[in-house]
Amino acid sequence: MAELGSFVLLLALALSGYSFLAGLVALVIKHPGADRLGETARRAGVATFGAVFLGALVLVVSAFRNDFSLAYILHHSNRDLPWPYKFATLWSGQEGSLLFWSLLLSTYGLVLRLRHKTDERLFAHASVIIAVVQVFFFLLLNFAAKPFALMQGQLPADGNGLTPLLQYPEMVIHPPMLYLGYVGFTVPFAFALAALAMKYPGEKWIHITRRWTMVTWGFLTCGVFLGMHWAYNVLGWGGYWGWDPVENASVMPWFTGTAFLHSVMMQEKRGMLKTWNMWLIFSTFMLAIFGTFLTRSGVVNSVHAFAQSSIGDWFVTFLSITLAVCVYFYWKNRAHLRGEHKLESLISRESSFLFNNLLLLLACFTVLWGTLFPVLSEWIQGHKVTVGPPFFNKVSIPVALLLLLLTAVGPLLAWRKTSLESLKRNFLWPSIGALAIGIFLVATPPSWGGPFGLRPWNDVSYFYSLMAIMLSALVAFTVVSEFVRGGRVISGHTGEGLASSIVHLARRNTRRYGGYIVHLGVIIVFIGFTGSAFNREAEKEMGYGDKLDIGAYSIVGRSYTQEEHPNYTADLAILQVFKGGKQIDMLYPESRFYPASGEQQHMPAVRSTAKEDLYLVYEGQNPDTGRPIIKAHLNPLVSWIWTGVLVMVFGTITAMVPNAAPVRASVRASVPADIRVHPAPVGAGD
Amino acid sequence: MLFKFKKTGVPHVSPFLRDMGTFRRLGTFLVMTLLFLGAGDNVRVDRLGRELICMCGCTQTLVGCNHLNCPYRGPMTQQLTAAVDRGDSDKAITQFFVQTYGTLVLAAPTNRGFDRIAWLVPYIALLAGITLVVFIVWMWRKRPLLVHASVPGAVREEDLAQFREQARKETGL
């Protein structure tokens, strides 16, 4: 098996190398045979997928067969590992995850090369660029991080097992989602660079890559939030985001990708920001590679990072070459990227996109700066400093609030120029609504629990929460007013009800209204984030019948027990949950021990409601008294985050659906023919 | 008799009870003060615990670390609680932890020396970005409109098509 795996990886390197070189030559030379050479390059690219797929299959089969002669399987699997995690072994270690990266890249490459008829010349250029990225990853797999390396000497009877933290159902989904996002940005990058290199006229490359970018962005969004959900449910510290360098690495391309999704609209509609968009997508791709580098090089400390290795140098070299190529083509063809129109007013949709991009890039820069500052500090001062949550929270929350404000204002602005009068008219009622919600939250008694009874003067975190909720309400009101206004126009023409008119409206311009649904999802997520200002926690040694009070809940220790599982043993606390003197639930937080790796892990128990999460952790036993320690967290509004993500995903899918045909006005037959109105397409105006 | 009713019907509290009430109020005040003093200490320990990193390598704050049998969390929390109980200032407590565990123990860079750059750069970037955007908008607004050199009054068909296409794109239909 190992020989087969190694062979197919070498084959994949050869095929992608050929795809790159032959494709490049076919594009450069002017010879009658160039087209045929280009076709062979395309087919080699298609075949690359087959080779790398076989390689990944060999690794997975080796995990299922407990082939511990492979060092990778020995270090990341064991005999009793449940089968879904054996499958997840593929991306659980350095070498396997690089193989998985290559597999996904080859899958994207396959789809691109099969759809080459759309625009053969542009696709041929993009295929060459994808091939060179594939070559880099296959070089890594063949020479620096070999997944099929063999063990030397006597083989142990069992493997070391998968890291306990990864033995959770979401870890079977989260990494593929995140990787689909990371890797997917290679496609728009390849098209952008191809369009620049060949001085491709018009915005066609943006139209071609629009869905790719949205799909990729959707995957990255899911990946980031699944990671948060996993952290919340597995790490057992009661939170979902710790500003860990690896978490930061995943969110940086998300920021630039989001900025790109917004600013391409300016290029499509107004022929502006061409250079900016080009560099945004270049940056997004490079940040995705940079994130992969951060995770694997050992440059920064992280609980998520793979083992420290020398492959960091490979990534630095690749990133440097990529940057040099981008700069070269930009410098050579920059005249081609001149804008077609001028910006006419500071109060316009264009300006709002500019400021939106500024804030998203600032958020990205802040995260990058905070992540790399320890390295910079060590380099300059000779010692590392920690840049943890207090820094990121202080710096990024104001930026996030400004972004929310722009999300509210942006849709109310017209392209080119908006009169202050119309802005006032559209802004008045949403602002009054948001203000009313703010006053209500301040006026309610604190005994209702967060976010009610907010006293912003008591703590800056309360002030931020109040602002976030008010701005979220503002966004919600503006989005709803957009739907209602457009729906009324259609309803007026067709005579349909408002609800069905709104559905028609959304189907007529799925991208725009899908985008608004994404905005609604974002504000639901933000409201969820505000809950963290009201988090409470309590810890107690709890014997049988002992009681721990937190918020409106009382937790009573009912019993403690042990369970044997094939892959681990678990100490369980059986806890009764009371509210208002009535038992409402029974929760079972666990403390697990995995013999294969010799590691222990908490498995919290969570009772989630729309208002708050009761989050219980069995922290083990006090070594002095032998009594079990239970830690309880009361985290308001956390479930809003997961709901918001679902709304964001729904919005993204809506935005990808092709527009429906225009709704036509119905004409009554009784109207005399000579005064009959000619049916006309109806849509939403901006 | 504990209560004597005057003619007005308002109960007259005996001096004994009045004294009891005073004691009660005093007792309640003392208990509440002690309770709130304790609560204040807890809040302070919690706040400072979030500004320190647990040195076990989990990269979480001292309050956030939940590793089983963590060799650092217990002793560090005890040191913090003791310092707060002694009434040490935040600065003194921070200095103590830096001296004991090194600068990595602080969850965020200090606002001194080179570390201050960490805090300043994002705000400088924000100001620079806003200035840049305003400058770009100003430059673009100054850019002259493209005027065709064709005969005035005669609108070419291709120009009209282009304007229609532009209008279609800009109205988003």
Side-chain angles (χ1 to χ4, degrees):
Chain A
M1 290 295 268
E3 290 81 1
L4 177 63
S6 299
F7 171 73
V8 291
L9 288 187
L10 264 177
L11 183 66
L13 175 62
L15 286 167
S16 56
Y18 178 80
S19 182
F20 165 60
L21 288 173
L24 190 64
V25 171
L27 291 172
V28 171
I29 61 162
K30 295 189 187 335
H31 186 273
D35 285 350
R36 272 184 293 161
L37 184 67
E39 179 59 16
T40 62
R42 187 185 72 82
R43 290 184 182 189
V46 171
T48 308
F49 169 76
V52 72
F53 178 78
L54 194 56
L57 190 67
V58 168
L59 198 66
V60 172
V61 169
S62 302
F64 277 94
R65 292 179 63 204
N66 298 315
D67 184 357
F68 299 124
S69 65
L70 292 181
Y72 183 80
I73 301 297
L74 179 79
H75 292 136
H76 299 100
S77 183
N78 65 309
R79 292 183 187 281
D80 291 328
L81 193 66
W83 74 264
Y85 303 129
K86 290 217 170 180
F87 189 74
T89 303
L90 176 60
W91 51 78
S92 301
Q94 174 93 285
E95 298 84 0
S97 66
L98 286 171
L99 177 58
F100 188 56
W101 229 101
S102 309
L103 173 66
L104 295 179
L105 181 59
S106 300
T107 311
Y108 279 119
L110 174 76
V111 177
L112 181 143
R113 283 157 183 148
L114 290 179
R115 290 172 57 91
H116 70 292
K117 293 279 185 204
T118 312
D119 186 325
E120 291 197 4
R121 190 95 183 131
L122 180 65
F123 273 63
H125 277 78
S127 172
V128 167
I129 294 161
I130 293 223
V132 77
V133 181
Q134 285 179 303
V135 167
F136 167 68
F137 278 95
F138 290 131
L139 281 172
L140 270 179
L141 286 170
N142 280 286
F143 301 107
K146 303 172 186 172
F148 297 104
L150 293 169
M151 288 298 297
Q152 303 291 324
Q154 182 74 29
L155 290 181
D158 202 358
N160 299 344
L162 191 63
T163 307
L165 289 173
L166 303 182
Q167 296 189 36
Y168 187 73
E170 266 171 57
M171 285 315 283
V172 184
I173 315 166
H174 158 61
M177 287 285 179
L178 202 59
Y179 280 37
L180 278 165
Y182 270 164
V183 182
F185 279 118
T186 313
V187 177
F189 164 76
F191 275 105
L193 189 56
L196 180 62
M198 61 192 283
K199 295 188 192 172
Y200 198 79
E203 269 54 77
K204 195 174 176 188
W205 75 270
I206 282 184
H207 292 300
I208 290 171
T209 55
R210 194 169 73 83
R211 284 209 173 80
W212 286 95
T213 314
M214 278 200 280
V215 168
T216 299
W217 184 87
F219 279 130
L220 191 58
T221 305
C222 288
V224 169
F225 282 96
L226 277 170
M228 286 167 69
H229 195 255
W230 163 79
Y232 186 64
N233 285 293
V234 172
L235 294 184
W237 58 280
Y240 39 78
W241 192 264
W243 295 108
D244 179 273
V246 174
E247 291 172 339
N248 296 349
S250 72
V251 85
M252 283 189 279
W254 188 88
F255 281 131
T256 50
T258 309
F260 177 73
L261 278 174
H262 285 88
S263 67
V264 284
M265 282 188 260
M266 273 181 79
Q267 186 166 345
E268 284 179 84
K269 289 186 184 289
R270 304 273 289 138
M272 298 164 84
L273 291 186
K274 291 181 179 178
T275 301
W276 180 256
N277 284 328
M278 202 54 84
W279 277 102
L280 260 186
I281 199 64
F282 290 170
S283 310
T284 305
F285 170 71
M286 285 190 268
L287 282 169
I289 299 287
F290 181 74
T292 317
F293 157 74
L294 268 188
T295 325
R296 292 148 201 286
S297 60
V299 167
V300 289
N301 294 329
S302 164
V303 282
H304 296 72
F306 292 100
Q308 198 161 350
S309 76
S310 60
I311 65 168
D313 297 339
W314 290 70
F315 276 96
V316 171
T317 309
F318 179 66
L319 275 172
S320 307
I321 293 170
T322 307
L323 182 63
V325 170
C326 292
V327 169
Y328 168 74
F329 278 112
Y330 167 69
W331 194 253
K332 187 166 166 266
N333 298 337
R334 65 188 185 283
H336 177 66
L337 297 175
R338 287 218 178 102
E340 292 162 22
H341 296 99
K342 67 171 202 165
L343 199 144
E344 293 165 31
S345 166
L346 199 61
I347 308 170
S348 61
R349 184 73 68 89
E350 290 92 323
S351 289
S352 80
F353 277 133
L354 276 179
F355 281 105
N356 150 296
N357 268 239
L358 166 70
L359 291 174
L360 283 166
L361 286 198
L362 184 72
C364 176
F365 172 75
T366 303
V367 174
L368 179 68
W369 173 251
T371 308
L372 291 183
F373 190 77
V375 181
L376 188 70
S377 169
E378 189 175 26
W379 188 48
I380 291 176
Q381 301 189 101
H383 67 263
K384 268 192 178 177
V385 293
T386 307
V387 181
F391 172 83
F392 289 107
N393 290 339
K394 255 185 207 163
V395 176
S396 54
I397 290 175
V399 177
L401 292 178
L402 283 173
L403 257 175
L404 270 180
L405 179 66
L406 266 186
T407 314
V409 178
L412 300 179
L413 300 175
W415 292 100
R416 304 181 79 162
K417 193 172 185 178
T418 307
S419 70
L420 276 173
E421 192 54 42
S422 86
L423 190 64
K424 258 192 261 177
R425 193 175 54 239
N426 292 334
F427 215 56
L428 183 66
W429 285 110
S431 304
I432 289 173
L435 203 62
I437 286 180
I439 291 169
F440 172 73
L441 289 176
V442 174
T444 47
S447 59
W448 288 13
F452 300 105
L454 262 170
R455 302 290 182 262
W457 50 87
N458 280 348
D459 193 299
V460 73
S461 63
Y462 295 160
F463 171 74
Y464 283 148
S465 292
L466 182 66
M467 292 307 295
I469 292 173
M470 285 172 67
L471 289 170
S472 298
L474 188 63
V475 176
F477 290 136
T478 55
V479 168
V480 170
S481 72
E482 280 287 288
F483 272 100
V484 170
R485 214 169 19 198
R488 274 190 188 149
V489 171
I490 289 192
S491 178
H493 281 86
T494 61
E496 287 182 5
L498 186 62
S500 61
S501 298
I502 286 174
V503 174
H504 269 138
L505 177 78
R507 289 181 59 202
R508 273 282 288 117
N509 195 341
T510 53
R511 185 183 183 187
R512 180 177 171 186
Y513 292 98
Y516 285 158
I517 295 171
V518 173
H519 284 183
L520 283 177
V522 169
I523 59 160
I524 296 172
V525 168
F526 262 93
I527 290 172
F529 288 157
T530 62
S532 64
F534 313 97
N535 284 355
R536 273 182 278 178
E537 58 187 47
E539 189 180 87
K540 194 174 179 184
E541 286 184 20
M542 287 181 72
Y544 303 110
D546 286 345
K547 198 170 89 168
L548 168 65
D549 291 322
I550 184 163
Y553 298 95
S554 293
I555 296 123
V556 177
R558 174 82 180 166
S559 178
Y560 294 88
T561 185
Q562 276 200 332
E563 275 183 4
E564 290 284 336
H565 293 265
N567 200 35
Y568 64 90
T569 56
D571 288 336
L572 281 101
I574 302 172
L575 304 169
Q576 288 173 303
V577 180
F578 291 88
K579 194 175 183 184
K582 198 174 130 192
Q583 187 181 335
I584 53 166
D585 210 342
M586 190 85 96
L587 294 178
Y588 310 89
E590 296 177 41
S591 171
R592 293 181 180 175
F593 177 70
Y594 291 80
S597 58
E599 290 180 44
Q600 278 186 305
Q601 191 213 329
H602 304 294
M603 189 56 71
V606 185
R607 184 178 195 278
S608 190
T609 62
K611 186 170 181 255
E612 60 205 359
D613 279 14
L614 177 66
Y615 182 103
L616 301 180
V617 187
Y618 181 16
E619 296 212 306
Q621 291 169 340
N622 185 332
D624 300 326
T625 62
R627 284 160 64 85
I629 305 169
I630 299 294
K631 189 164 188 176
H633 299 259
L634 199 60
N635 302 333
L637 304 177
V638 173
S639 62
W640 286 58
I641 298 171
W642 323 130
T643 310
V645 179
L646 292 177
V647 176
M648 285 171 77
V649 171
F650 174 68
T652 310
I653 293 169
T654 306
M656 283 189 290
V657 172
N659 286 342
V663 178
R664 293 192 174 272
S666 59
V667 181
R668 287 186 189 167
S670 59
V671 178
D674 54 335
I675 59 163
R676 195 170 288 168
V677 179
H678 291 287
V682 175
D686 258 25
Chain B
M1 195 172 177
L2 291 174
F3 291 98
K4 284 181 193 167
F5 283 91
K6 285 188 177 175
K7 285 180 182 168
T8 54
V10 178
H12 173 74
V13 182
S14 74
F16 173 71
L17 254 193
R18 209 163 45 225
D19 290 344
M20 280 298 287
T22 309
F23 278 123
R24 251 189 229 144
R25 277 196 292 275
L26 190 62
T28 309
F29 172 72
L30 282 174
V31 167
M32 292 306 282
T33 308
L34 286 172
L35 273 176
F36 278 108
L37 279 176
D41 284 355
N42 285 340
V43 169
R44 221 175 136 216
V45 168
D46 188 69
R47 180 173 55 78
L48 288 168
R50 288 177 200 282
E51 291 171 11
L52 298 169
I53 292 286
C54 180
M55 297 307 287
C56 69
C58 65
T59 71
Q60 289 181 6
T61 59
L62 185 57
V63 172
C65 174
N66 63 343
H67 285 100
L68 288 170
N69 307 320
C70 173
Y72 284 91
R73 187 192 166 198
M76 285 178 78
T77 309
Q78 279 171 6
Q79 286 168 332
L80 177 61
T81 311
V84 169
D85 288 345
R86 278 197 306 272
D88 292 357
S89 67
D90 288 2
K91 197 177 167 187
I93 293 172
T94 307
Q95 271 178 353
F96 164 76
F97 275 95
V98 170
Q99 278 166 6
T100 312
Y101 299 101
T103 49
L104 278 174
V105 77
L106 299 177
T110 58
N111 199 10
R112 290 190 302 274
F114 179 76
D115 286 2
R116 182 175 285 173
I117 292 173
W119 293 101
L120 288 178
V121 164
Y123 296 105
I124 292 171
L126 175 65
L127 285 178
I130 290 172
T131 312
L132 188 70
V133 169
V134 172
F135 178 71
I136 287 170
V137 172
W138 181 69
M139 288 293 287
W140 273 347
R141 289 183 66 187
K142 276 183 65 178
R143 198 189 284 175
L145 273 170
L146 290 170
V147 179
H148 283 289
S150 53
V151 183
V155 181
R156 296 182 306 172
E157 188 53 39
E158 56 266 38
D159 286 344
L160 274 176
Q162 191 189 330
F163 293 144
R164 283 194 199 102
E165 174 61 13
Q166 188 181 333
R168 189 193 62 75
K169 284 202 288 186
E170 288 175 9
T171 50
L173 293 177

